[in-house]
Amino acid sequence: TILILDFGSQYSHLITRRCREHNVYAELMPCTTKLRDIKFKPKGIILSGSPYSVYDKDSPHVDPAVFDLGIPILGICYGLQEIAWNLGGKVSPCDHREYGFAQVQVKKSEAGNASVDALLEGLGDEMQVWMSHGDQLSELPPNFHIIGYTQSAPYAAIAHDTKPLYGIQFHPEVTHSLRGKELIGRFILNICACRRNWTMEEFIGKEITRIREICGPKGRVIGAVSGGVDSTVAAKLMHEAIGDRFHAIMVDNGVLRLNEAQQVYEMLNKDLGVNLTVVDASDLFLSRLEGVEDPEQKRKIIGNTFIHVFEAEAAKIEAAADAEEAMGAAAKGRVEWLLQGTLYPDVIESISFKGPSATIKTHHNVGGLLKDMKLKLIEPLRELFKDEVRALGRLLSIPAPLVQRHPFPGPGLAIRILGPVTRDQVKILQHADSIYIEEIRKAELYDQISQAFTVLLPVKAVGVMGDARTYEQVIALRAVQSEDFMTADWFVFPPEVLRRISSRITNEVAGINRVTYDISSKPPATVEWL
Ligand code: XMP
């Protein structure tokens, strides 16, 4: 295991991902974690970047005892400065903040000790890297060597003379650092000598055993499914582990994509054999959404109504299970557990060291579910990143189009209808969305795009159809590429694809006479419009 100590950098989770991509298990913890609270023995430690400056009064610092463990340590950006700050070097503010690409010249240290050069060995004489820092090293700590430099950073990479301590000023974890993943691989595989035993094949077996142990021979589990990758994979995994003692519930909230509830039922129940109930609560949701325009209000209503409907359905399943128990008929037991498809990024979000960041949108849809239910929580995916969940899905024979599916927000089309949500508006958007996705798939662009959807604008524009003037609504198309949805770039479509999409939507969707394409990146825009 590699331990990543997080100082609050926006890239910390990427360090964890890169390690996992080398099939090495990595876990992130806040930098303030005390050594005695770490229950495993890491083979290496990575110190992340940070929005702080090591000299700030309230800046975070690592337990200095980590430097005496004899375990290899790699400091990235602030992590490098933290090593220097602890071991007698000097850190100073840059004349101006360095942000962007840089070329690192790799320098043989002439230390006569192979371990000093081990980090950058084989990565070439020059590396394109990504820099983002306001401070830098101005004096080496004693017994350290320079192993890389740039025009503006003389200490871009350093290594200790005899101990396995390394620091780099740039960010190898972002894809802009061209050989960054290899560099991380050199640290964890060559220097830390980690074994490459983190694979989804191994995970399935271990996790099924773990679920069976947790749940015991009796007792049922319920869980919500949405048709997305995470809940489908979690549901299928539970089904593999405990069969019909797992019961899935899908709530049709009236703002799903076209025919979605039906499709999820066919796939999950008919094809994958999962015990599933679909509850059509669209009338209730739509009546509560009537006249509401404020996005946060829409999210709140959908979140609360979801909890309400789910709990009512769960109560029915519990009552039936209790009745079966009372008759001594089946030995499946009572409902004791609630399945949640929590992923590792959510876990990181809750444990990572918090710099000064603000909530922009509330994303949590079912967070309140456990409060009233007297159920224990089971989260089989909580160690996994999205791409690991996809790999797991493929191993569990979940159909490829579902495994590769773009994310879909919990509040669904309600946050893509910019005005009030009505059945008619939902119908228009569902229709436009299905044409858009169909054409993207036909053009074989779906897998190149991270997320694509249509947005229904609450404005009307003038158009002409035949000899008549029309006055109808506008659809905005959105398609982005993104690694983690924290930042995103708009997708460059071939013009003929946009032309086909536009012509089909304006011709086939009643109520729409104009289509626009959203060319905003995140930041400053967000992926969704609301
Ligand atoms: P934004 O709009 O914040 O979106 O740039 C980033 C990602 O989050 C999704 N998103 C949501 N997902 N509930 C969700 O489950 C929400 O309320 C919500 N809002 C945005 C969005 O689709 C994108 O993938």
Side-chain angles (χ1 to χ4, degrees), residues 14 21 40 58 112 117 124 271 347 418 434 439 508:
L14 292 177
E21 284 167 8
F40 57 92
D58 48 357
D117 296 304
D271 301 344
V347 176
L418 300 198
S434 72
E439 287 300 327
E508 296 174 33

Side-chain angles (χ1 to χ4, degrees), residues 116-166:
V116 177
D117 296 304
L119 185 67
L120 302 184
E121 209 174 279
L123 297 179
D125 299 333
E126 191 177 281
M127 275 190 299
Q128 179 191 304
V129 300
W130 183 256
M131 292 277 194
S132 172
H133 59 111
D135 286 350
Q136 65 178 14
L137 228 60
S138 53
E139 205 178 296
L140 269 184
N143 302 317
F144 273 82
H145 297 274
I146 297 174
I147 55 171
Y149 59 92
T150 71
Q151 235 167 17
S152 55
Y155 308 105
I158 64 170
H160 191 275
D161 195 36
T162 50
K163 299 180 187 169
L165 301 177
Y166 303 86

Side-chain angles (χ1 to χ4, degrees), residues 489-509:
D489 223 337
W490 56 278
F491 180 73
V492 181
F493 273 109
E496 66 277 13
V497 178
L498 283 179
R499 194 185 309 281
R500 207 157 41 239
I501 291 165
S502 157
S503 127
R504 277 198 62 194
I505 291 178
T506 46
N507 279 309
E508 296 174 33
V509 183

Side-chain angles (χ1 to χ4, degrees), residues 69-203:
L69 291 174
I71 297 174
I73 297 179
L74 171 66
I76 294 176
C77 195
Y78 183 93
L80 157 80
Q81 295 157 17
E82 177 71 2
I83 293 177
W85 187 81
N86 271 279
L87 302 182
K90 247 197 184 142
V91 178
S92 319
C94 306
D95 292 340
H96 41 256
R97 207 186 143 72
E98 192 177 10
Y99 182 82
F101 290 107
Q103 294 292 331
V104 170
Q105 309 299 323
V106 175
K107 178 173 179 291
K108 277 288 272 180
S109 66
E110 294 164 8
N113 178 353
S115 78
V116 177
D117 296 304
L119 185 67
L120 302 184
E121 209 174 279
L123 297 179
D125 299 333
E126 191 177 281
M127 275 190 299
Q128 179 191 304
V129 300
W130 183 256
M131 292 277 194
S132 172
H133 59 111
D135 286 350
Q136 65 178 14
L137 228 60
S138 53
E139 205 178 296
L140 269 184
N143 302 317
F144 273 82
H145 297 274
I146 297 174
I147 55 171
Y149 59 92
T150 71
Q151 235 167 17
S152 55
Y155 308 105
I158 64 170
H160 191 275
D161 195 36
T162 50
K163 299 180 187 169
L165 301 177
Y166 303 86
I168 50 184
Q169 185 57 69
F170 51 91
H171 288 275
E173 68 276 26
V174 304
T175 48
H176 302 306
S177 290
L178 289 186
R179 300 185 77 174
K181 185 176 155 188
E182 269 177 87
L183 186 156
I184 290 176
R186 286 207 58 81
F187 178 69
I188 62 181
L189 299 172
N190 299 56
I191 296 171
C192 304
C194 291
R195 280 193 299 138
R196 307 186 60 176
N197 56 2
W198 174 254
T199 63
M200 286 306 106
E201 282 86 350
E202 296 223 353
F203 177 86

Side-chain angles (χ1 to χ4, degrees), residues 299 361-363 365 407 409-411 415 451 485 522 526-528:
R299 283 189 168 83
K361 300 178 190 180
T362 50
H363 275 199
N365 313 301
I415 55 167
Q451 198 172 9
F485 294 100
K522 171 182 180 175
T526 54
V527 175
E528 303 285 348

